[in-house]
Amino acid sequence: MTSSFTVHAAFGYEQLMGRWSRRLAPKFIDFVGLAGGEKILDVGCGTGSLTFELAKSRDLAEIQAIDFSSVFVAAAKERNTDPRITIEQADATALPFEDNVFDRALALLVLHFVPESGKAVAEMRRVTRPGGVVAAVVWDHLGGMPAMRMMIDTVAALSESGRQMRNRYCFQPMLQPGEMKRTFVEQGLADVTETELMVRMDYQNFDDYWAPIAAGEGPLGKYMTTLDAAERTRTEAAVRDAYEAGRADGPRSFASVAWACRGIVP
C-alpha cells in the first residue's frame, strides 16, 4: 500500500489535523457504538486520536491500532500507557490479523488517503466477526471543509498547478456523497448507514493556521514544497488575505463536516 498523506513530524500533524481529529473521535464513537468486553481495531491510527478516545471506555477488552507511517506509530507508542492498547506499523490493505478476531474495525480520517480504499474496507470486514461492525469517517473535502478550501481555492486562482492540486484534493477516494456507502455495500456489508458529523476548527491567528502547512505537512504542505521562494511568499500573502478577510489577524472558527459510514458483517 502507498499513502497519499505527507507527514514529516508528529507535532506538525497534530497542529495541522490531529487536534481536529480528537474533536471528531467521540462523535464517531457515538455513531459506531461500543459494548463491554469488545476487541477493537483502529485502522490508520495516526497519533492516536481515536485509539486513546476509545481507551476512555474502561469496559473494552483490547484495542489494536495500526498505521502505515512509522512516524505516527512511534508517536502513538510514546503516548501510550494503557496495557489494553497495542500499536504497530501495518498496511490497511493487508492487515496482519486472522479472520473474525475483532468486534469492530474502525478507521478515522484514513480511507481517502488509501489508493486501494475498497481493498482496505474488505480487509476490515475480513478481520471482523459476523455481527460485528465496520465503520469509517472521512472529511468532506469538496463541500464541508471551508478552512482548507480557503487555501485550496486561493492557490487555484493563482496558478495552473494550484488548480490541479484542488482537483486532487477535492476528489480523493471516498469523499463524495454516497461513495463510501456504495463501497461498503460492494464489500458485502449489511445494514449500511451513512451520516454527517460536524466539528469546528478554531484557530488563534493566521500563524496557528499556517505553520504546519508552511512546514510541509499534509497535502497542502506538500504543495507548498513544490513552489519556489517567490511563489511561496506570494501564496502565503494571498492565503493570509483570505484568512483575515479584511479584518485584523486573530481568531477564526470554521465548521467542518465529515462523512461517516458503518455496516454489519453478515
Side-chain angles (χ1 to χ4, degrees):
M1 185 195 86
T2 57
S3 171
S4 60
F5 191 86
T6 301
V7 57
H8 297 290
F11 172 79
Y13 170 80
E14 282 293 307
Q15 190 174 10
L16 177 72
M17 192 55 63
R19 49 183 167 169
W20 316 129
S21 301
R22 288 194 297 276
R23 290 189 178 184
L24 186 61
K27 293 176 180 285
F28 181 47
I29 291 170
D30 286 345
F31 170 69
V32 170
L34 295 175
E38 288 189 331
K39 295 173 61 176
I40 311 294
L41 174 63
D42 180 1
V43 176
C45 64
T47 54
S49 296
L50 179 59
T51 302
F52 298 120
E53 188 66 30
L54 286 165
K56 293 178 181 178
S57 176
R58 306 311 303 175
D59 294 334
L60 294 180
E62 180 182 330
I63 303 167
Q64 293 273 352
I66 67 102
D67 201 280
F68 190 68
S69 166
S70 59
V71 173
F72 285 155
V73 169
K77 283 185 173 181
E78 186 175 356
R79 288 180 59 193
N80 184 38
T81 59
D82 192 320
R84 298 173 301 161
I85 296 174
T86 302
I87 304 164
E88 61 182 297
Q89 187 174 12
D91 183 342
T93 64
L95 293 171
F97 305 107
E98 299 296 324
D99 296 356
N100 308 327
V101 294
F102 295 103
D103 297 289
R104 300 174 199 266
L106 314 178
L108 177 83
L109 304 179
V110 64
L111 287 186
H112 51 312
F113 292 114
V114 180
E116 295 181 288
S117 50
K119 189 174 180 181
V121 174
E123 277 290 275
M124 292 170 71
R125 177 195 166 175
R126 179 185 66 78
V127 302
T128 304
R129 65 167 174 80
V133 174
V134 172
V137 61
V138 297
W139 293 122
D140 178 5
H141 279 188
L142 180 65
M145 288 285 281
M148 302 300 117
R149 284 296 300 267
M150 180 172 60
M151 175 177 173
I152 292 287
D153 292 331
T154 297
V155 300
L158 294 177
S159 69
E160 177 59 29
S161 64
R163 286 188 288 276
Q164 293 173 7
M165 192 268 285
R166 178 171 62 182
N167 178 267
R168 292 192 301 270
Y169 181 84
C170 289
F171 297 102
Q172 289 175 265
M174 300 291 186
L175 299 186
Q176 305 311 303
E179 184 178 0
M180 191 158 46
K181 183 176 182 178
R182 287 193 299 273
T183 300
F184 274 43
V185 171
E186 289 167 1
Q187 297 303 329
L189 293 164
D191 299 326
V192 178
T193 302
E194 187 177 70
T195 192
E196 300 173 12
L197 305 176
M198 193 274 284
V199 299
R200 297 200 72 89
M201 296 183 177
D202 300 311
Y203 298 96
Q204 294 303 308
N205 50 43
F206 178 71
D207 285 344
D208 187 31
Y209 171 86
W210 186 249
I213 297 171
E217 297 293 345
L220 306 188
K222 181 179 180 180
Y223 173 78
M224 290 298 295
T225 67
T226 68
L227 305 180
D228 61 31
E231 278 301 300
R232 285 198 298 271
T233 298
R234 178 175 177 239
T235 299
E236 179 178 352
V239 177
R240 177 185 287 275
D241 184 65
Y243 178 92
E244 293 177 354
R247 295 200 173 187
D249 189 13
R252 302 289 189 272
S253 181
F254 302 90
S256 303
V257 177
W259 297 112
C261 191
R262 68 169 183 254
I264 307 298
V265 178

